[in-house]
Amino acid sequence: MTQPPTNAAEATGLLLAAGGGRRLGGRPKALLPHRDRPLVENAVRVLREGGCRTVYVVLGAAAEEVRARADLAGCVLIDNPDWAEGMGSSLRAGLDALTASDEASGAALVSLVDQPGIGPEAVARVLAAHRSGDSLAAASYDGKRGHPVLFGADRWADIAASATGDRGARAYLKAHEAEITLVECGDIAEPYDIDTEADLGRLQ
């Protein structure tokens, strides 16, 4: 198992798992089979093994079915009724829940449910870039920014306010590009998405 960084307890995993899989014939991504279990379970395991003590999971499409079929014990589950609007609404829902929590941590480590090529090692590397409430860090792959992304708590309100449509935090990250600490992870992870029927072959 990956050894978590010493400051991991200050970061909460925020997993965006609300997508409806429109290009997959309407199959919710959280429930896609991976190693004989729903894909969302793999994503939660990765965050925990990478060092996130607590994991918040934003659900949307088929949320009740995901709750029934996936083992998400110990996770904080958030229902996003506006999931069809895109990733931005899920990011807002997750950050709002973290902000309102009495157990809010110093940072959120955001990951996507449909990137099984990103494992605990990448999570641990990005977590290690957490320095303060103003931290802003992201995994990079051959120099190109990707997930997971770490947001210090001081940035949550502005990120949530800018998260619209299916772009998530892209507008915020572009505006604050010079402040991002890029953490190269191309040697330990592959940032592909499970978006289409052809991509399903990447799931085991």
Side-chain angles (χ1 to χ4, degrees):
M1 179 184 295
T2 302
Q3 292 299 313
T6 56
N7 58 352
E10 301 174 15
T12 298
L14 178 55
L15 176 62
L16 306 186
R22 178 175 51 84
R23 286 181 285 174
L24 289 165
R27 282 176 285 178
K29 291 186 176 183
L31 290 174
L32 293 174
H34 182 53
R35 298 173 182 169
D36 299 320
R37 295 300 302 163
L39 187 58
V40 66
E41 288 184 15
N42 174 75
V44 167
R45 175 190 61 79
V46 165
L47 287 171
R48 285 180 171 153
E49 292 186 4
C52 295
R53 302 287 189 253
T54 305
V55 177
Y56 280 53
V57 182
V58 182
L59 302 176
E64 290 187 12
E65 188 178 356
V66 175
R67 287 173 181 266
R69 289 178 51 191
D71 180 2
L72 300 175
C75 296
V76 178
L77 305 183
I78 303 154
D79 287 316
N80 173 20
D82 302 318
W83 64 268
E85 295 178 6
M87 190 190 306
S89 66
S90 290
L91 181 58
R92 286 197 310 273
L95 292 176
D96 287 348
L98 278 171
T99 301
S101 172
D102 292 335
E103 302 175 358
S105 64
L109 193 286
V110 181
S111 68
L112 308 180
V113 73
D114 67 339
Q115 293 190 319
I118 298 175
E121 296 82 7
V123 169
R125 278 194 189 176
V126 177
L127 281 180
H130 179 208
R131 297 288 181 268
S132 69
D134 194 46
S135 288
L136 186 61
S140 65
Y141 302 89
D142 296 327
K144 183 178 180 181
R145 191 183 73 242
H147 284 87
V149 182
L150 184 137
F151 300 131
D154 294 350
R155 296 181 180 269
W156 292 352
D158 288 344
I159 292 169
S162 69
T164 58
D166 210 29
R167 293 179 58 81
R170 264 183 244 171
Y172 183 90
L173 291 171
K174 184 175 181 179
H176 296 267
E177 190 168 4
E179 301 164 43
I180 302 172
T181 297
L182 291 179
V183 182
E184 182 56 45
C185 293
D187 59 321
I188 54 172
E190 296 182 82
Y192 58 81
D193 301 316
I194 305 298
D195 279 337
T196 67
E197 294 284 345
D199 297 330
L200 293 176
R202 291 180 177 270
L203 295 176
Q204 300 174 7

